Amino acid sequence: MHTATGKREHIPSCDRCAEPAIFFDPGSQRHLCERHLCLSVELRVIDSITRHEMVQDGDRIAVGLSGGKDSSVLLSILSRVVPEQWDAEIVAVTVDEGIAGYREETIQSAVSLAQQLGISHHIVSFQSLFGLTLDSLLGAHPLRACTACGILRKKALSDAAREIAATSIATGHNLDDAAQSVLMNYFRGDFERLLRDSSSREDRGFIRRIKPLHEINEKEITLYSMINGITVLLPECPYATTAFRAEVRTLQAAIEYHYPGASRRIIEGQESLNEQAKKTVRPGAVSYCATCGDPCSGTICQACGLLAGLKKRE
Ligand code: SF4
Ligand code: ZN
């Protein structure tokens, strides 16, 4: 390749073979070609699943498939690696929140990916579960869009997973998402949420949630999806820019740019904090929602609380 000044630009080779590198990992200081990047991602997902015992034989894993890049890459990798390593089944679940001008396209993308991979696919909607779309809810309720959306989507996924007798729910959260969540909890001063992982909630009536991509960063996922032709360009959710997360994402990306590996260190710090907390923090008592019966930490779950608040305002 030649630069604008006519000089030949040096393209480093992959550290595993002679092919040109397309990715440099500042953490391991490795250059990787297309093939070895994909291999590295898949092997690290298997390693992560194994170390954290995310999958067991006999599992039926409901993969939350939004149709976006992360969840599409997750479904694609799990559908390949899980049957090779475990006697477990993969099913895809898509939640239609009811966001006009955005959701139609992403659902279409989810439907075609599941078809292409031969994975059984279930679609549930806020409208059928809660009697309203996210658009109509936001029109009547001054809550921040992503907070309401997140609470209801979590419930929709749990309800759908229970309906199809899934043993766990896999979501496409990546390393960058995880680092942002830690930072958001610090900025909010939400110590309880920061340590929530240390109380092993899946043992207490919650369907287990697993995040097999939590050690893979956004850039690797983007490259993996492009190399494997997984993602088509999709519109961004119209509410995305209103989110606190959007501001934290900009900050986290800047920190990562100037201090490569910072996001990974944020997660490692969080994991050791959780390990320490497990020794001293006793899990809070679990109770069951008076409205829907879901396990929760008060008298009513967050989703039912949100919907009840809405009814009062009508
Ligand atoms: Fe929901 Fe916010 Fe994501 Fe849009 S950006 S789908 S409102 S969580
Ligand atoms: Zn409830």
Side-chain angles (χ1 to χ4, degrees), residues 289 292 301 304:
C289 172
C292 73
C301 74
C304 290

Side-chain angles (χ1 to χ4, degrees), residues 97 99 102 134 145-146 149 153 237 239-240:
E97 300 92 348
I99 304 171
Y102 161 70
L134 185 71
C146 297
C149 182
R153 192 180 42 233
C237 172
Y239 302 116

Side-chain angles (χ1 to χ4, degrees), residues 11-288:
I11 300 177
S13 324
C14 175
D15 286 343
R16 298 280 174 82
C17 69
E19 291 295 312
I22 56 145
F23 177 72
F24 175 67
D25 176 17
S28 62
Q29 295 282 305
R30 282 186 321 180
H31 289 94
L32 294 173
C33 68
E34 288 189 1
R35 189 166 72 87
H36 281 105
L37 170 67
C38 293
L39 210 57
S40 155
V41 168
E42 289 169 11
L43 288 174
R44 279 155 52 222
V45 170
I46 295 174
D47 177 61
S48 195
I49 293 176
T50 310
R51 262 188 300 115
H52 296 278
E53 298 177 347
M54 292 184 196
V55 177
Q56 266 108 39
D57 286 340
D59 269 352
R60 185 168 159 85
I61 307 162
V63 178
L65 178 65
S66 69
K69 166 176 56 65
D70 297 326
S71 63
S72 299
V73 165
L74 175 67
L75 183 68
S76 171
I77 293 179
L78 291 188
S79 68
R80 187 167 336 151
V81 305
V82 166
E84 283 174 7
Q85 312 266 336
W86 293 274
D87 178 19
E89 190 191 352
I90 303 285
V91 285
V93 176
T94 297
V95 177
D96 178 0
E97 300 92 348
I99 304 171
Y102 161 70
R103 229 33 190 120
E104 302 84 349
E105 233 174 299
T106 48
I107 287 174
Q108 203 35 56
S109 152
V111 168
S112 41
L113 181 68
Q115 263 172 7
Q116 200 184 311
L117 297 172
I119 299 285
S120 139
H121 187 203
H122 305 261
I123 302 178
V124 291
S125 69
F126 280 11
Q127 180 69 55
S128 61
L129 290 170
F130 311 124
L132 43 75
T133 62
L134 185 71
D135 285 340
S136 59
L137 181 149
L138 293 172
H141 204 268
L143 256 182
R144 296 185 86 149
C146 297
T147 306
C149 182
I151 291 171
L152 295 181
R153 192 180 42 233
K154 202 166 181 188
K155 173 145 180 67
L157 256 183
S158 298
D159 286 359
R162 225 171 270 128
E163 184 74 29
I164 59 172
T167 50
S168 60
I169 296 170
T171 56
H173 294 93
N174 62 39
L175 181 82
D176 297 59
D177 297 326
Q180 288 152 22
S181 298
V182 173
L183 292 176
M184 285 164 75
N185 287 332
Y186 272 110
F187 292 148
R188 288 183 177 130
D190 194 339
F191 197 62
E192 197 210 313
R193 192 176 291 217
L194 199 62
L195 297 180
R196 193 170 279 175
D197 281 351
S198 50
S199 55
S200 177
R201 293 158 70 88
E202 64 271 15
D203 296 341
R204 303 184 294 135
F206 295 88
I207 292 192
R208 188 175 194 207
R209 289 187 167 250
I210 59 172
K211 297 174 184 172
L213 299 184
H214 81 290
E215 292 175 75
I216 312 292
N217 70 39
E218 179 106 38
K219 194 170 171 191
E220 293 171 294
I221 293 174
T222 305
L223 287 168
Y224 187 98
S225 72
M226 286 162 68
I227 294 165
N228 291 284
I230 292 170
T231 305
V232 285
L233 278 179
L234 294 168
E236 194 179 49
C237 172
Y239 302 116
T241 51
T242 66
F244 177 40
R245 182 176 287 275
E247 289 171 45
V248 177
R249 182 181 294 126
T250 308
L251 184 71
Q252 174 258 337
I255 295 171
E256 182 65 39
Y257 180 77
H258 292 292
Y259 303 96
S263 303
R264 193 172 300 280
R265 290 191 291 276
I266 291 173
I267 300 306
E268 286 166 359
Q270 172 66 23
E271 282 174 0
S272 45
L273 194 64
N274 279 346
E275 282 307 312
Q276 289 303 315
K278 265 185 199 163
K279 296 176 194 160
T280 49
V281 180
R282 288 193 31 225
V286 73
S287 52
Y288 295 90

